[in-house]
Amino acid sequence: MVPKVLIVLCCSLYPIHWTTRAIIVPSSSIDSEDFNGKEWSFLVLADLHDTNPFAFYPLEDEEKTKWHEKLDTMRNIHNIYGGNNTDLIVMPGDSNSFGKLSPQDFAEMLNADLNIDDAVYRGSINCYNGLKKLFYDAGFREQTILATIGDHEIGGNIGFPVSPVKSKLMYHKSYRKAFVDIYNRSVNGTFAFQKPIGTATSRPLGTNYAGTSFAHRHKNALFVTVDAFKVMKDDNSNIVNYIDRTNGRGGEGAVTCTVDDMHLAWFEDILRNGREDPSIHHIIVQAHLPVVQPVRKTMCSGQFMDDAESSPFWELMERYGVDIYFGGEVHSWTATTSSNDSNLVQVISTARNFAGFLMVSIDNNSINLKAFNEFGPKKQYNGQYVEHGHLTIDKSIYDKVDIDSSGVLELIDTNHPLLHFTFEELVQLNKRQVLELHGEGSLIAKSVIIRGLNCTRALHNNGIFGSQYDAQVGNIELVSNEDSSSAGKFGYDSRMAIFGMGPFSAGDIVSLSFWMKASDKSSTFIVIHHGASFGTYVSLKKDHFTLILEHGFPAIQVHPESRMNYFDINIADNQWHHIAASMPRKSCRLSEIKFYLDGVLSTGALIEGGLDRNIFQTTSGKISLGGFGHSSPAYEDEYPRMKPYNGYLKDFKLWGRSLKESDMPSFTAATTSPPSTLEPVRPHSFSNMPTLHPSNVSGTPPPSLIHSQTPNYQPMKASSISSSAPSLRPRIVQNVISLDTLNMIPPSKQPSNIPLVNPSRAPNDLPSGLPHAYPSSSLNDIPSHTPSSVLEAISTAMPINLHSNSPSSLPSTLISTSPTRLPSILPSTLPSTSPSDFPSKVPSPIPSNLPSRSHSALPSTSPSTLPSRSHSTLPSTLPSTSPSTLPSTLPSTLPTRLPSTLPSDVPSTLPSTSPSTSPSSLPSTLPSTFPSTLPST
């Protein structure tokens, strides 16, 4: 049966105008006896978007609607690329961009006396009728339209937050009603897709989805359209914002994406009946959102289906042999098979702004997909397309399915890296296309501005995500290493950013690895960053991922109050180091991330008071190397001390799974410390910018990063440490010696002839001939009885991240590289290189170059070059910044800026700038500029 097309003259809902509209009435199902088994085809248009003007302006207003450009484009799809042979138009959501409009915008732009509900409904009606007329005029006159609800059709784009007055949630019914009335109802108002599938009703009656979820039989295929958007409510039926960090669900306000309860039961009933019908050769399901992750993404909100392949929705599709699941949302192309060893294929496609489409042909034994992508000189509406991917599902052999794919539809194999940058060649940016990255008036950009820098070059992505994740770069120099590998040399003015979104998303597993070489310890440097693309502030609801190098020590920051520090070694030593980080499971906590330094698992430490919640990454983020890249400008505001990376990077890889042993290089002495042929990176000057720890110049952990959550370090295996010389790369290995074994280790009776690289759990009775690289942590908290006899530090000594549990009975002759948790009972002969978090009990014989962070229990014995917070026994050369609670014992050489609360015993040589509240016991030699409240004696 051929669908009927009625041309009716109807009143346009645009003010004042009348237009002719085409109302396409879907056909009844064509039963198997009417089908002769010949090949037939359908068109897939996901995320078309570019139709908002149809809602508010007459279609003939070319300046506003671009009607004829769009019409010519659709005509070419119909006449040149096989659209004339199609039976159906399948649209997996987002046929408009209503998410960019507020409900109030509808009332204002329609310029009519309408309440907001009516304005939303009428504007939506105009939009969908305009799109259907576009199809009709282009030649698609006999095609049935199978349309899916997307987030934009119900007003989404930046989620659906519960907020007063202007919340789009208040107008969901109007958005949905217009969608159903135009796409899913016949001219007489009855539901268009009513024929049952076996014993199952065609739609989930009695649910909120009875108008937007439905099944439709066409020839030898069953199509099931699913509305997966669910408004979340509490036990009192109040609409609530929903984010489940533990399971990685939600995150888009009050609307999450799932199929459950009666809706899910109907879905299973449809699939069961479809599979039991021998005349149905293929089952195809469409909804708006990707289920299987990761997928390529660009310029989208990145919403997803809760629980992915573990969802009952996906499991039912696998159980009943669904062939293809079509989705959209992410404005890119990805084909994926299930990891559950089924033949179900997820195909995510894009037709955004008419820039592409899928053409699908079907016979009894196979399904063939061809992906088409726009080309031409104009930014859009070129009307020319090239095939850039195919996928074939062959079921001609009984009980066997063969899948062949290529191009953008080549099946994703997550065993391989999604991203891989080898830093071998810089090419012109426009050498290959990155979807949505347009030039000024051109489809493919020749340059792009990244953080104020015009970038014209690119590094190709060699990972399986391909050209969509090419990096746009500026001011990066490629250099060769002795082992024939290439590296990128980064400086403060370098840029390397990826326009494609993700692959980080919510709680999805991600891992990465790379080599780095740095020597600059002067600041906090951004090495890898994934952050939100949109917004004017750093979201506290979702996380980012920023791997930094703080004064030489690596750390991972995912939230302003959530950071993990790794103090195993200061890696800003002008040597190559391998870094790897891996999420061991979905939605793991920050503290669960496996972090490897040169192949050895490192124990991290959360910042004091920091959050350790389940990771939920922004779903609309972009990744960059060496800086904040294409992410929101809000990150500079939130992290003003983070600077672009200054050093070398090479062989960067990112996976959409946890790391495997085979992903790691084999580590030898040569691997971890290769002979360097690269020049050292000279530190860039940030003299005009504050640093977190200005006194930290010795390569030790900044004091503010050391806190009570001390890592549980354990000794290395004896076989891994040379017996004749200290290790070049000492490492701390977890779980190699049990605590019971450690408790049995007796104290040493003789001095060691090499430095100790790990803390001892038993004290030495005799002094060591060389200094310890780590403090002692004895079983009985016994202090050392003898000071070290060596008067200079070893340059290769490991940084200290443990503290002594008892004070030393003798002073040290060397500067401590890490603060002690207990004060020394005798003064040090040298000043500390960084301020202590605790006051000293005994004054230092040498003045400090920096002010103390807390008041000293005793006065300083010599003047400070900066003002004291407590009174000094010697006069200060600078005025006090706050009044003293006790009188000075010697006169000041400069006037105070605030009055004293007690009288002075010695006259001042300069006048006071404020009156005293008490009389002076001696006359002043100069007049006061303010009267005294009490008479002078």
Side-chain angles (χ1 to χ4, degrees):
M1 298 177 64
V2 178
K4 300 175 182 178
V5 181
L6 303 180
I7 304 297
V8 297
L9 186 67
C10 62
C11 177
S12 170
L13 297 176
Y14 311 112
I16 307 174
H17 296 277
W18 290 77
T19 59
T20 301
R21 294 302 171 87
I23 307 298
I24 302 177
V25 183
S27 69
S28 303
S29 297
I30 298 179
D31 294 327
S32 58
E33 57 267 22
D34 297 323
F35 177 56
N36 57 16
K38 291 184 178 180
E39 182 180 278
W40 60 278
S41 63
F42 63 92
L43 177 67
V44 180
L45 299 173
D47 295 86
L48 198 56
H49 277 296
D50 195 16
T51 60
N52 278 15
F54 299 169
F56 307 110
Y57 306 104
L59 300 182
E60 59 269 20
D61 187 342
E62 184 68 22
E63 182 179 356
K64 295 291 197 316
T65 65
K66 309 291 184 189
W67 174 261
H68 285 98
E69 289 184 286
K70 295 169 184 175
L71 180 59
D72 289 344
T73 299
M74 284 304 302
R75 278 177 175 159
N76 283 356
I77 293 174
H78 180 271
N79 298 334
I80 300 175
Y81 299 100
N84 58 325
N85 293 320
T86 57
D87 291 4
L88 309 170
I89 298 176
V90 175
M91 296 197 299
D94 282 3
S95 58
N96 57 41
S97 299
F98 283 173
K100 296 180 179 180
L101 304 171
S102 71
Q104 291 73 19
D105 289 336
F106 282 82
E108 293 173 7
M109 295 180 74
L110 284 172
N111 193 25
D113 187 16
L114 299 170
N115 63 43
I116 294 177
D117 265 316
D118 288 343
V120 167
Y121 178 77
R122 293 193 183 187
S124 300
I125 289 286
N126 289 346
C127 179
Y128 301 135
N129 267 332
L131 180 57
K132 293 182 77 170
K133 176 173 171 54
L134 182 73
F135 291 156
Y136 182 87
D137 288 358
F140 294 93
R141 302 186 178 187
E142 299 183 354
Q143 285 76 11
T144 298
I145 297 176
L146 304 179
T148 311
I149 280 275
D151 56 313
H152 277 272
E153 277 91 354
I154 51 177
N157 185 41
I158 54 173
F160 301 88
V162 177
S163 59
V165 184
K166 294 186 178 182
S167 173
K168 296 177 181 180
L169 295 168
M170 298 173 62
Y171 308 102
H172 261 203
K173 289 183 179 179
S174 298
Y175 283 115
R176 286 177 181 273
K177 186 177 188 306
F179 181 90
V180 173
D181 285 351
I182 297 301
Y183 285 130
N184 296 344
R185 292 195 186 281
S186 300
V187 174
N188 61 9
T190 60
F191 195 75
F193 307 101
Q194 294 197 65
K195 187 169 184 178
I197 307 299
T199 61
T201 59
S202 65
R203 53 191 180 127
L205 300 174
T207 74
N208 294 328
Y209 307 98
T212 50
S213 289
F214 60 91
H216 174 65
R217 164 79 181 275
H218 184 78
K219 296 183 177 177
N220 60 346
L222 172 64
F223 290 82
V224 187
T225 296
V226 179
D227 174 0
F229 293 93
K230 180 180 180 179
V231 178
M232 301 301 289
K233 298 181 180 180
D234 62 17
D235 293 339
N236 297 318
S237 297
N238 297 313
I239 297 176
V240 293
N241 288 327
Y242 175 72
I243 181 169
D244 178 356
R245 282 181 165 269
T246 302
N247 296 293
R249 300 171 183 152
E252 296 296 319
V255 176
T256 195
C257 302
T258 189
V259 181
D260 59 8
D261 301 332
M262 292 175 61
H263 194 193
L264 185 69
W266 165 83
F267 183 61
E268 181 175 11
D269 200 19
I270 286 289
L271 296 183
R272 181 191 304 110
N273 277 273
R275 185 46 60 213
E276 290 174 352
D277 186 340
S279 66
I280 293 178
H281 291 251
H282 313 289
I283 300 178
I284 296 168
V285 176
Q286 67 162 339
H288 181 55
L289 300 155
V291 178
V292 182
Q293 300 286 345
V295 293
R296 300 179 182 95
K297 300 189 291 186
T298 182
M299 301 303 291
C300 64
S301 61
Q303 203 165 4
F304 56 90
M305 194 80 78
D306 288 347
D307 298 319
E309 291 168 275
S310 299
S311 66
F313 177 68
W314 186 264
E315 290 175 351
L316 285 176
M317 288 194 288
E318 290 184 314
R319 183 187 308 170
Y320 291 103
V322 171
D323 296 288
I324 296 179
Y325 171 78
F326 284 119
E329 166 64 15
V330 295
H331 308 157
S332 192
W333 304 84
T334 311
T336 315
T337 52
S338 174
S339 62
N340 299 332
D341 197 27
S342 74
N343 296 313
L344 174 57
V345 179
Q346 173 181 276
V347 177
I348 306 300
S349 64
T350 180
R352 190 178 184 191
N353 299 332
F354 302 88
F357 58 90
L358 267 176
M359 192 65 70
V360 184
S361 59
I362 289 180
D363 60 26
N364 278 340
N365 298 316
S366 65
I367 306 174
N368 296 281
L369 290 74
K370 292 182 180 180
F372 288 87
N373 186 50
E374 182 183 18
F375 72 94
K378 297 190 298 182
K379 184 175 181 179
Q380 59 184 147
Y381 312 129
N382 287 281
Q384 302 178 84
Y385 299 91
V386 60
E387 184 179 335
H388 70 151
H390 96 282
L391 188 147
T392 299
I393 300 173
D394 185 353
K395 302 190 289 184
S396 58
I397 300 177
Y398 178 75
D399 205 25
K400 180 183 178 182
V401 176
D402 287 326
I403 302 175
D404 181 56
S405 61
S406 67
V408 295
L409 296 182
E410 184 171 356
L411 295 175
I412 293 295
D413 182 355
T414 55
N415 286 315
H416 299 293
L418 307 177
L419 309 183
H420 185 195
F421 294 102
T422 58
F423 296 93
E424 293 176 345
E425 182 184 10
L426 287 172
V427 298
Q428 290 299 316
L429 188 62
N430 62 348
K431 188 170 183 178
R432 63 182 190 178
Q433 183 183 14
V434 174
L435 291 181
E436 303 279 344
L437 183 57
H438 302 301
E440 187 65 33
S442 63
L443 186 65
I444 303 175
K446 295 181 180 179
S447 64
V448 61
I449 302 295
I450 305 175
R451 250 59 190 183
L453 182 69
N454 188 43
C455 301
T456 61
R457 310 298 292 276
L459 281 169
H460 283 173
N461 171 33
N462 296 312
I464 60 173
F465 264 16
S467 61
Q468 185 61 39
Y469 288 78
D470 285 351
Q472 299 79 53
V473 304
N475 291 341
I476 292 178
E477 180 184 352
L478 301 188
V479 292
S480 297
N481 197 29
E482 191 174 76
D483 62 359
S484 300
S485 64
S486 296
K489 180 182 178 182
F490 290 72
Y492 73 95
D493 58 348
S494 297
R495 304 289 188 271
M496 181 173 175
I498 297 166
F499 189 76
M501 285 181 163
F504 292 85
S505 181
D508 293 337
I509 297 173
V510 172
S511 62
L512 55 84
S513 75
F514 58 94
W515 288 89
M516 67 180 299
K517 176 184 174 183
S519 59
D520 192 346
K521 302 175 184 177
S522 67
S523 192
T524 301
F525 297 108
I526 307 157
V527 184
I528 309 295
H529 174 71
H530 173 266
S533 307
F534 313 121
T536 56
Y537 63 94
V538 174
S539 172
L540 302 182
K541 179 179 66 174
K542 298 179 183 179
D543 299 324
H544 58 85
F545 179 95
T546 310
L547 196 156
I548 59 176
L549 198 64
E550 180 154 30
H551 302 285
F553 293 96
I556 296 175
Q557 183 120 23
V558 299
H559 180 276
E561 298 176 14
S562 185
R563 182 171 68 182
M564 203 78 176
N565 298 311
Y566 302 94
F567 291 141
D568 299 61
I569 185 173
N570 191 305
I571 58 176
D573 57 1
N574 204 38
Q575 298 293 323
W576 281 110
H577 294 279
H578 189 265
I579 306 295
S582 177
M583 292 176 63
R585 63 179 180 88
K586 181 179 179 180
S587 302
C588 71
R589 294 181 180 273
L590 174 61
S591 62
E592 294 179 77
I593 289 179
K594 304 296 183 182
F595 190 83
Y596 299 87
L597 290 173
D598 294 337
V600 178
L601 184 62
S602 174
T603 303
L606 280 169
I607 56 173
E608 187 170 2
L611 299 174
D612 187 25
R613 57 186 183 177
N614 298 87
I615 291 172
F616 196 106
Q617 284 282 315
T618 176
T619 54
S620 58
K622 295 182 179 182
I623 193 169
S624 53
L625 279 66
F628 286 133
H630 290 302
S631 63
S632 164
Y635 289 97
E636 278 93 349
D637 297 334
E638 186 66 45
Y639 302 112
R641 292 184 176 90
M642 291 186 183
K643 311 302 176 193
Y645 175 59
N646 192 26
Y648 295 90
L649 295 175
K650 68 174 184 177
D651 198 27
F652 175 84
K653 298 176 183 177
L654 185 146
W655 292 264
R657 56 166 174 78
S658 300
L659 283 177
K660 301 176 182 178
E661 185 177 352
S662 58
D663 300 323
M664 303 289 282
S666 61
F667 289 92
T668 63
T671 306
T672 55
S673 300
S676 177
T677 60
L678 300 182
E679 61 178 286
V681 178
R682 293 189 178 93
H684 293 288
S685 173
F686 295 107
S687 57
N688 62 331
M689 302 176 185
T691 59
L692 285 175
H693 312 287
S695 63
N696 182 46
V697 294
S698 62
T700 61
S704 67
L705 301 185
I706 300 174
H707 54 87
S708 58
Q709 288 186 259
T710 307
N712 181 25
Y713 293 111
Q714 296 186 3
M716 299 176 71
K717 290 182 179 179
S719 60
S720 66
I721 303 176
S722 171
S723 60
S724 59
S727 170
L728 293 176
R729 285 283 175 269
R731 280 288 180 271
I732 297 164
V733 181
Q734 295 178 306
N735 303 324
V736 294
I737 299 181
S738 69
L739 185 60
D740 292 339
T741 304
L742 283 171
N743 290 334
M744 297 172 60
I745 299 174
S748 172
K749 298 297 184 182
Q750 297 295 328
S752 170
N753 60 0
I754 62 171
L756 182 68
V757 294
N758 284 288
S760 171
R761 293 186 56 86
N764 274 342
D765 289 343
L766 293 177
S768 170
L770 292 175
H772 289 267
Y774 278 99
S776 172
S777 177
S778 66
L779 291 174
N780 299 314
D781 290 331
I782 300 173
S784 171
H785 299 298
T786 308
S788 172
S789 60
V790 177
L791 300 182
E792 60 183 25
I794 294 180
S795 61
T796 57
M798 293 280 288
I800 298 173
N801 195 30
L802 294 177
H803 313 294
S804 173
N805 294 322
S806 297
S808 172
S809 58
L810 291 177
S812 170
T813 58
L814 292 178
I815 303 168
S816 171
T817 57
S818 177
T820 178
R821 282 194 272 176
L822 296 176
S824 172
I825 59 174
L826 291 178
S828 170
T829 59
L830 293 177
S832 171
T833 58
S834 60
S836 172
D837 288 323
F838 296 95
S840 172
K841 299 298 184 184
V842 178
S844 169
I846 297 178
S848 171
N849 294 323
L850 293 175
S852 172
R853 293 188 187 172
S854 57
H855 295 273
S856 174
L858 294 177
S860 171
T861 58
S862 60
S864 171
T865 58
L866 294 177
S868 171
R869 295 181 181 170
S870 184
H871 68 280
S872 171
T873 57
L874 294 178
S876 171
T877 59
L878 294 176
S880 173
T881 57
S882 60
S884 173
T885 56
L886 294 176
S888 172
T889 57
L890 291 177
S892 171
T893 59
L894 294 176
T896 65
R897 290 197 289 240
L898 294 174
S900 172
T901 57
L902 293 178
S904 171
D905 294 325
V906 181
S908 172
T909 59
L910 294 176
S912 171
T913 57
S914 297
S916 171
T917 57
S918 297
S920 171
S921 59
L922 291 176
S924 172
T925 59
L926 292 176
S928 171
T929 57
F930 286 88
S932 172
T933 57
L934 293 177
S936 171
T937 57

